[in-house]
Every structure is written in C-alpha cells, then in structure tokens.
C-alpha cells in the first residue's frame, strides 16, 4: 500500500501542478463552506456509523448473544483499521473482536466470519435495492458490483478454508464442524425478521450518508436530487472498493467528485464537497472509536 499511496500522491501532485486554476477554484469553494453545514454533516455521519453498527449487530448469530454496544465496538475498530491498514485488515479485526466478545475462543471464529460476510451481503443488497428503486444506475454499475461481490465471496471462501485447515488440523469431521459453524454465522440471512432489520438499518445508513453529502452540496449552493446523490455514492463506493492508498486519500476525492460531476455539479464545487465529505467521515470515525472505547472502559474501571 505504501508504493500505491506514493503513486496516488504523485499523480495528485501532477494534477494539482498542471491545473492550478481548478485547484484555486476548489480551495475557494472549500473556504466558502459554512460551519453549520459541516457540523450537520458530521452529525449525520455519526448517525450513519451507528446505523452501520446496528446493521452488523442484526446479523450476528443469536447464540453469540452480543449486545449492540459490543458489536459496535468491533465494527468501528474494524472500520478504523481499514483506514490505516491494507487489504481490508479491519474486517479481520472485526472477526477477532466479535469472537473475543462472544467468549467462545477459537470455536467462535467461523461464526464471526459468517456474521461479517452476512453484513457485507446485506450492505450490498441495500445499495442495489436503492439503485433499482431510483433507476439511476445503469447496467455498468450493476455488473461492477456483481463482480466485486463475487470476488469478495471467493476470497472469503479461500480464507475460511485455509483458516479451517490451519486452526483445525485433525480429522475430517472437525473440518466439517468448522464449516458448519461458518454456515451458522450466516444464519441471519435465512431469518426473515433479522435480515429485514439489518436491511432497514442498512438503508437508513445510506440515507444518512446521502444526507451528509447533500448538506455539504447545499452549503455551496447546489441542490442535487436524491437520485443524483445516490449516483455519486455508488460511483464513490465502486472507486474505493479496493483500497490502494492510505485512508483512500486522493482516490476518495476523485471518485466522489466524478460521481458529483455526473450529477451536473461543477468540478471545483465537486472537489470541495468531496474533500470536505472525506474529512468529515474520517473525523467522525475517529471520534466514534474514541468515544465508544472510553465508554466501554469506564464500567470496568468502576468495577475495579
């Protein structure tokens, strides 16, 4: 990731050097962004993170018996690590933390993997559902997401099998037990009420993210429609689906500005909105992790 980040940084530097007028215009727009719009967007992103945590909680297997705050702790730390580490390492941390919170030792690993995969499925399904309802995303994006989903599932399956072979060296019966536990981790996808609850949380989180983006756009005097906001978010998520730079710096801004450009937002304004949206997302994630970590440690200190 260091090499790729350096390449992205170099490319960004070249773009800035060769387009000084556009950069000055974007900075001018960024300076015009009112503080109330930033504060409101920050609150919306905090709500987005809370809803995403609840989305994950809804698909955690019942037998793990985890409270929402414990799942939120695992989810948010995983999201934070994805900012600074390559190859979606945060998802692996999420598995470890869910297993640790459940108190099941290594026996809880396959169930935790299944829960994280189930969360990915619900998140993808919610975006596809929104796109289908809005009719704003063409076949190109549908195919892109289908391929990304297939690749993610294939990679997860390989990781699960390798982990099973390494952690459960022994009889074939034990290997099948490991795979059965993985299947149990996906059990929420067969539970109508639970998958519906997770889907509702997922849809609400997209609305919160879109609301934050709309507030930033409105702060600079542009009023994209809900379909245009959804288009921008879809382009953004395709663009950052494979992390290639630290905290997706540069890539995030380019993808979101491109999506807003499709919605008719002028480039300087789109760049200012994209940069501010990314900054708000990063700030909210760090504040949420810090706040939740302090709140979960406080009771243990009191008990001592």
């Amino acid at each position: 990731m260091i090499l790729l980040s350096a390449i992205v940084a170099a490319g960004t530097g070249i773009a800035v050097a060769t387009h000084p007028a556009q950069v000055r215009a974007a900075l001018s727009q960024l300076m015009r962004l009112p503080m109330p719009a930033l504060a409101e967007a920050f609150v919306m992103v905090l709500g987005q993170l809370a809803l995403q945590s609840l989305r994950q909680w809804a698909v955690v297997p019942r037998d793990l018996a985890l409270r929402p705050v414990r799942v939120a702790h695992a989810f948010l730390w995983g999201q934070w690590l994805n900012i600074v580490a390559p190859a979606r390492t945060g998802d692996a941390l999420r598995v470890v933390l869910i297993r640790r919170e459940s108190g099941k030792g290594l026996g809880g690993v396959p169930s935790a993997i299944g829960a994280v995969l189930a969360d990915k499925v619900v998140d993808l399904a919610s975006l596809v559902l929104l796109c289908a309802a809005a009719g704003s995303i063409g076949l190109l994006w549908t195919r892109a997401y289908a391929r990304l989903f297939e690749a993610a599932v294939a990679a997860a399956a390989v990781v699960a099998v390798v982990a099973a072979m390494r952690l459960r060296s022994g009889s074939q019966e034990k290997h099948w037990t490991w795979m059965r536990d993985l299947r149990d981790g996906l059990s929420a996808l067969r539970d109508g009420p639970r998958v519906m609850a997770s889907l509702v949380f997922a849809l609400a989180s997209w609305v919160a993210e879109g609301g934050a983006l709309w507030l930033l756009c409105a702060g600079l005097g542009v009023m994209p429609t809900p379909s245009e906001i959804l288009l921008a978010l879809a382009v953004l998520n395709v663009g950052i689906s494979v992390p290639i730079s630290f905290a997706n710096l540069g890539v995030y801004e380019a993808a979101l500005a491109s999506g807003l450009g499709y919605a008719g937002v002028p480039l300087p304004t789109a760049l200012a909105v994209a940069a501010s949206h990314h900054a708000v997302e990063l700030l909210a994630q760090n504040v949420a992790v810090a706040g939740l970590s302090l709140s979960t440690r406080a009771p243990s200190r009191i008990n001592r």
Side-chain angles (χ1 to χ4, degrees):
M1 177 175 280
I2 294 176
L3 176 60
L4 291 174
S5 296
I7 293 173
V8 171
T12 302
I14 292 172
V16 169
T18 55
H19 298 82
Q22 294 282 14
V23 172
R24 286 195 297 270
L27 289 175
S28 176
Q29 289 288 84
L30 195 58
M31 296 300 293
R32 289 182 51 242
L33 195 58
M35 286 302 297
L38 287 168
E40 291 166 0
F42 176 75
V43 172
M44 292 294 285
V45 173
L46 286 178
Q48 170 199 343
L49 294 172
L51 289 163
Q52 288 174 333
S53 299
L54 289 170
R55 181 194 71 205
Q56 173 68 85
W57 170 74
V59 293
V60 170
R62 294 181 186 273
D63 62 345
L64 295 185
L66 292 179
R67 292 179 298 155
V69 67
R70 294 298 182 184
V71 176
H73 182 264
F75 179 86
L76 291 174
W77 269 110
Q79 290 292 91
W80 182 86
L81 186 59
N82 277 335
I83 296 174
V84 300
R88 307 297 297 183
T89 310
D91 293 336
L93 177 64
R94 212 192 310 179
V95 169
V96 171
L97 291 178
I98 289 175
R99 187 272 303 165
R100 189 180 71 177
E101 295 290 354
S102 69
K104 289 200 169 188
L106 290 178
V109 170
S111 293
I113 291 175
V116 170
L117 289 177
D119 178 67
K120 299 288 187 185
V121 171
V122 171
D123 185 33
L124 178 65
S126 66
L127 181 58
V128 171
L129 183 61
L130 282 174
C131 292
S136 59
I137 306 299
L139 186 61
L140 173 63
W141 301 120
T142 302
R143 286 179 176 173
Y145 264 99
R147 288 176 182 174
L148 287 171
F149 175 67
E150 290 168 1
V153 170
V158 170
V159 170
V161 171
V162 171
M165 297 298 292
R166 291 180 66 88
L167 295 175
R168 293 283 188 170
S169 57
S171 66
Q172 184 176 6
E173 181 180 351
K174 289 184 177 180
H175 295 323
W176 281 113
T177 300
W178 203 96
M179 297 305 294
R180 183 195 63 202
D181 291 341
L182 176 65
R183 180 200 62 195
D184 291 343
L186 292 160
S187 61
L189 298 180
R190 303 189 301 273
D191 186 329
R194 294 178 67 202
V195 76
M196 285 301 299
S198 184
L199 188 58
V200 168
F201 289 133
L203 292 171
S205 72
W206 283 111
V207 171
E209 185 176 5
L213 182 56
W214 185 89
L215 286 167
L216 295 172
C217 289
L220 291 177
V222 292
M223 300 287 184
T225 65
S227 294
E228 290 170 339
I229 289 290
L230 180 60
L231 171 61
L233 291 179
V235 174
L236 168 64
N237 280 270
V238 170
I240 64 173
S241 57
V242 179
I244 61 173
S245 67
F246 178 80
N248 284 312
L249 291 174
V251 179
Y252 188 108
E253 286 77 10
L256 183 52
S258 176
L260 291 170
Y262 287 128
V265 179
L267 180 58
T269 302
L271 287 172
V273 169
S276 59
H277 189 269
H278 196 190
V280 168
E281 287 274 353
L282 293 175
L283 177 62
Q285 287 182 5
N286 281 277
V287 169
V289 167
L292 190 59
S293 296
L294 289 174
S295 65
T296 52
R297 287 177 183 175
S300 62
R301 290 175 181 170
I302 293 174
N303 291 335
R304 289 177 187 175

